[in-house]
Amino acid sequence: MPRGGATIATIAREVGVSVPTVSRVLNGRSDVAPATRRRVEEALARHDYRKPVGPASPTKTAGLLDLVFHEFGSSWAQEIIVGVEKAAAPRRVGVVLSELGGSHRPPQEWIDSITARGTRGVLLVLSRLDDTQQRQLMARSIPFVVLDTDGETPAGVPTVGSNNWSGGLAATRHLIELGHRRVAIISGPENVLCSRARVDGFRSAHTEIGLDVDPSLVRWGTFEVEGGYEHGLELLRRSDRPTAVFAGSDVQALGFIRAAHELGLRVPEDVSVVGYDDLPLASWLAPSLTTVRQPLAEMAALATQMLIALSDGEPLASQKVELGTELIIRESTAPPA
Amino acid sequence: MPRGGATIATIAREVGVSVPTVSRVLNGRSDVAPATRRRVEEALARHDYRKPVGPASPTKTAGLLDLVFHEFGSSWAQEIIVGVEKAAAPRRVGVVLSELGGSHRPPQEWIDSITARGTRGVLLVLSRLDDTQQRQLMARSIPFVVLDTDGETPAGVPTVGSNNWSGGLAATRHLIELGHRRVAIISGPENVLCSRARVDGFRSAHTEIGLDVDPSLVRWGTFEVEGGYEHGLELLRRSDRPTAVFAGSDVQALGFIRAAHELGLRVPEDVSVVGYDDLPLASWLAPSLTTVRQPLAEMAALATQMLIALSDGEPLASQKVELGTELIIRESTAPPA
């Protein structure tokens, strides 16, 4: 990250306020008039200001990092939490959970509160910070790492993800090798990069054996269970129903299997199902779920280690890390009837 | 909580150390020799010392509460987190997660770290604090609330639970009313109060119609999926296998259903299954799971509200609150073949 040459004195002079006022904005204090605060923020952004990193203040920041979800309800939040705790505990770092956005956690107030309280840094799970918010964290020298990514993270933002394209390719190849020729995919939202990568992997597996993709079998949705259920009912009620489906998450696969059950179809005899994630659940279902293992806990642990290193002022070996995915074959896939 | 009359000056005089030394122990500072620290702790306990609660220091404590699990991996941790966040967010209180115990989070170090950092209070989920630890929190005037309870919590410790005995009674009555006469129960650990309450409810449902309980059908274990699976294999391989089972948790029920599947038995045609908790999963399984709904998120939200009230110095209407449980009948139970 390039570091602007400005000091808070420069900023104060330019905006025409006192140095303590600039300092109060940087420290998340609420006793600054909104208009003043806005002018200070603008000047900080203009100068690409970076708060000098002094010796750590152990009473304030030694102990906490902020783990920020877009939504806790997300099916794999628990895997992430387990991974973060695994990396944070040996360093005696406490983990503060936040759900960012929604009426109760407006981003500006959240940034002020973590600044006032002190944090080692912020781990963002599929949560977007806009450019202004990223600049605000940088100006306060609060490091952040993005886990997975639902959009293009800017260069210089440390990111841990997994190879979604390869996952999509492996899952679809497996179904094609079993003999399936009508394969559906239920992915996540179309504007989310990982969803698109998986769909592209799905297409590539078709292309490499000269098979066309029926566009009506490519479904976008959410990664949650309802998405699998609703698309499942629609797909399976068709006279030309697919003989196999690749779902965007294990819980989406669960919803799809539920839809099949309600329509009297058996898995895998009547329809094969591949999930994504390999949550602990996947191996316990009956039939157990063939799925693409995404090492969520390891990804979370690695992102946490990166964040702690950054907060200790250590350089990162790499800004972008992608862990591999792996197809786990279990009972929910079989040759077509 | 009775309040001892001692001041830190009394304690310092008695132990023969300076007032700042006693203060350092109470503030979680590490720069006190272990032997001195021990003598100070003993004197604090002897005098039942309570740190005077002054005006809240907003920079340190306004924003955080500590949510402490025995284990994150626990199947229903996510429900609890959702409930806590729901109650904490509108008050702008951040939630710090801890897994207490294990080599990385020794309780003494944890108490020192939360004291040094500041907290509104501690919410304990199925986690035991021993008497010493409870006294240490009280001496530092850190309020705590216990969610559910795996043992007898002392009088005066605010507790939120649910009615486990009624849950066990309702689940077992349902199976008996369907015509089952050989019903097994797989509960949690025998030394955990909620497990025993459910087994007692199970027995009562038998007694009220003059049915004997076969002691070999009463199983103790963990609430995790493996417990349901292993007891399931054992119970279902018997020539006099039960025709129905009441499991201690939904994930235990999942493990039991997996065992039935491996042995070629169908649910509910060959064996009926009732779970406990009503996790979101329960309604999506195929067959969907008959279960005892335990309002985990509501329990967690209520416990959080109680904790925040205590930290604001407000009195509680009641120290012990028990929410009701409710039987939810779905597809996994049917009359015996």
Side-chain angles (χ1 to χ4, degrees):
Chain A
M1 301 182 210
R3 189 179 268 258
T7 65
I8 57 172
T10 327
I11 305 289
R13 221 166 22 239
E14 184 172 314
V15 179
V17 296
S18 69
V19 166
T21 299
V22 178
S23 197
R24 277 199 293 273
V25 171
L26 283 170
N27 292 328
R29 295 268 299 275
S30 55
D31 50 355
V32 180
T36 309
R37 168 188 292 272
R38 195 174 56 243
R39 285 188 300 129
V40 171
E41 291 284 6
E42 283 165 4
L44 291 169
R46 225 166 20 243
H47 287 279
D48 196 19
Y49 174 82
R50 297 287 184 281
K51 188 179 180 180
V53 181
S57 155
T59 55
K60 282 197 80 178
T61 67
L64 297 173
L65 67 80
D66 282 83
L67 174 60
V68 179
F69 285 92
H70 177 60
E71 238 190 322
F72 283 143
S74 155
S75 50
W76 33 260
Q78 193 156 334
E79 290 298 291
I80 305 273
I81 291 171
V82 167
V84 170
E85 172 68 10
K86 201 173 154 190
R91 300 292 301 268
R92 309 284 196 262
V93 173
V95 178
V96 185
L97 271 186
S98 303
E99 192 175 30
L100 194 57
S103 59
H104 292 312
R105 303 281 195 209
Q108 181 60 54
E109 201 176 293
W110 171 77
I111 286 179
D112 283 344
S113 82
I114 66 164
T115 307
R117 176 237 302 157
T119 181
R120 274 181 167 264
V122 175
L123 185 58
L124 292 155
V125 184
L126 275 189
S127 310
R128 271 174 233 247
L129 286 188
D130 64 29
D131 288 352
T132 306
Q133 291 152 3
Q134 291 187 16
R135 266 204 308 274
Q136 287 181 337
L137 288 177
M138 287 179 184
R140 287 154 180 80
S141 287
I142 297 176
F144 58 100
V145 174
V146 175
L147 184 59
D148 212 325
T149 162
D150 67 347
E152 260 101 338
T153 43
V157 174
T159 307
V160 177
S162 68
N163 194 323
N164 288 288
W165 183 83
S166 299
L169 183 74
T172 316
R173 274 185 178 165
H174 167 62
L175 292 168
I176 290 174
E177 279 163 14
L178 284 170
H180 294 278
R181 290 297 175 267
R182 279 190 69 69
V183 181
I185 180 170
I186 308 175
S187 194
E190 191 163 3
N191 63 349
V192 169
L193 216 58
C194 66
S195 311
R196 293 199 336 245
R198 293 181 200 173
V199 171
D200 284 349
F202 168 86
R203 288 187 203 281
S204 271
H206 284 73
T207 308
E208 67 188 5
I209 64 152
L211 204 62
D212 284 337
V213 171
D214 176 349
S216 73
L217 297 186
V218 177
R219 302 297 179 112
W220 305 96
T222 70
F223 288 120
E224 301 306 321
V225 65
E226 292 83 0
Y229 176 71
E230 282 152 23
H231 282 298
L233 286 180
E234 265 182 52
L235 289 165
L236 294 174
R237 278 184 180 138
R238 293 165 56 149
S239 55
D240 60 346
R241 64 178 163 83
T243 60
V245 71
F246 167 39
S249 69
D250 288 347
V251 294
Q252 228 186 36
L254 181 69
F256 184 91
I257 293 170
R258 174 79 210 163
H261 175 80
E262 289 183 10
L263 298 174
L265 297 170
R266 292 157 308 158
V267 175
E269 293 83 350
D270 300 311
V271 60
S272 284
V273 181
V274 182
Y276 205 99
D277 289 333
D278 196 25
L279 298 183
L281 170 73
S283 61
W284 291 106
L285 290 174
S288 59
L289 194 63
T290 296
T291 190
V292 177
R293 175 165 159 69
Q294 173 166 235
L296 292 167
E298 290 87 337
M299 288 159 64
L302 180 61
T304 306
Q305 285 159 4
M306 286 165 67
L307 188 64
I308 292 175
L310 284 172
S311 73
D312 285 341
E314 292 164 18
L316 293 182
S318 171
Q319 298 282 320
K320 308 259 175 198
V321 183
E322 215 168 63
L323 298 188
T325 49
E326 186 190 356
L327 181 71
I328 310 287
I329 298 174
R330 297 201 182 95
E331 300 166 349
S332 65
T333 47
Chain B
M1 303 182 209
R3 190 180 267 255
T7 65
I8 58 172
T10 328
I11 305 289
R13 222 168 18 243
E14 182 172 315
V15 180
V17 296
S18 69
V19 166
T21 299
V22 177
S23 195
R24 278 199 293 273
V25 171
L26 282 170
N27 293 327
R29 295 268 299 275
S30 54
D31 50 354
V32 179
T36 309
R37 168 188 292 274
R38 197 175 53 245
R39 285 189 297 131
V40 171
E41 290 284 5
E42 284 164 4
L44 291 169
R46 229 170 11 248
H47 287 279
D48 196 18
Y49 174 82
R50 298 287 184 279
K51 189 178 177 180
V53 181
S57 156
T59 56
K60 283 197 81 180
T61 66
L64 297 173
L65 66 81
D66 283 83
L67 173 61
V68 179
F69 285 92
H70 178 59
E71 242 191 317
F72 282 143
S74 155
S75 50
W76 33 259
Q78 193 157 332
E79 290 298 293
I80 304 272
I81 290 171
V82 167
V84 170
E85 172 68 11
K86 202 173 153 190
R91 300 292 300 268
R92 309 283 196 263
V93 173
V95 178
V96 185
L97 271 186
S98 303
E99 190 175 31
L100 194 57
S103 57
H104 293 313
R105 303 278 195 211
Q108 180 61 53
E109 203 175 292
W110 171 77
I111 286 178
D112 284 345
S113 82
I114 65 164
T115 307
R117 177 236 302 154
T119 182
R120 272 179 170 267
V122 176
L123 184 59
L124 293 155
V125 185
L126 273 188
S127 309
R128 272 174 233 248
L129 285 188
D130 64 28
D131 289 352
T132 307
Q133 291 152 2
Q134 292 189 14
R135 266 204 307 276
Q136 288 181 337
L137 288 177
M138 288 177 183
R140 287 155 180 80
S141 289
I142 297 175
F144 57 101
V145 173
V146 175
L147 183 60
D148 213 324
T149 165
D150 67 347
E152 259 96 343
T153 42
V157 173
T159 306
V160 177
S162 68
N163 194 324
N164 288 288
W165 183 84
S166 300
L169 183 75
T172 316
R173 273 185 177 164
H174 167 61
L175 292 168
I176 289 174
E177 280 163 14
L178 284 170
H180 293 280
R181 290 298 175 267
R182 279 190 69 69
V183 182
I185 179 169
I186 307 174
S187 193
E190 190 164 4
N191 63 350
V192 168
L193 216 58
C194 66
S195 313
R196 295 205 328 252
R198 294 182 200 173
V199 170
D200 285 349
F202 169 86
R203 288 187 203 283
S204 272
H206 284 74
T207 308
E208 66 190 5
I209 64 150
L211 205 61
D212 283 337
V213 170
D214 175 348
S216 73
L217 297 185
V218 177
R219 302 299 180 111
W220 305 95
T222 70
F223 288 120
E224 301 306 321
V225 63
E226 293 83 359
Y229 177 70
E230 282 153 22
H231 282 299
L233 287 179
E234 266 182 52
L235 288 166
L236 294 174
R237 278 184 181 137
R238 294 164 56 149
S239 56
D240 60 346
R241 65 178 163 82
T243 60
V245 70
F246 167 40
S249 69
D250 289 347
V251 294
Q252 229 186 35
L254 181 68
F256 184 92
I257 293 170
R258 174 80 210 162
H261 175 80
E262 289 184 10
L263 297 175
L265 298 171
R266 292 158 307 159
V267 174
E269 293 83 350
D270 300 311
V271 60
S272 284
V273 181
V274 182
Y276 205 98
D277 289 335
D278 197 25
L279 298 182
L281 172 72
S283 60
W284 290 104
L285 290 174
S288 59
L289 194 63
T290 297
T291 191
V292 177
R293 176 166 159 70
Q294 173 166 235
L296 291 167
E298 289 87 337
M299 287 160 63
L302 180 61
T304 305
Q305 285 160 3
M306 286 165 67
L307 188 64
I308 292 175
L310 283 171
S311 73
D312 285 340
E314 293 164 17
L316 294 182
S318 171
Q319 297 283 319
K320 309 260 177 198
V321 182
E322 214 167 62
L323 299 188
T325 50
E326 186 190 356
L327 181 70
I328 310 286
I329 298 174
R330 298 201 182 95
E331 300 166 348
S332 66
T333 46

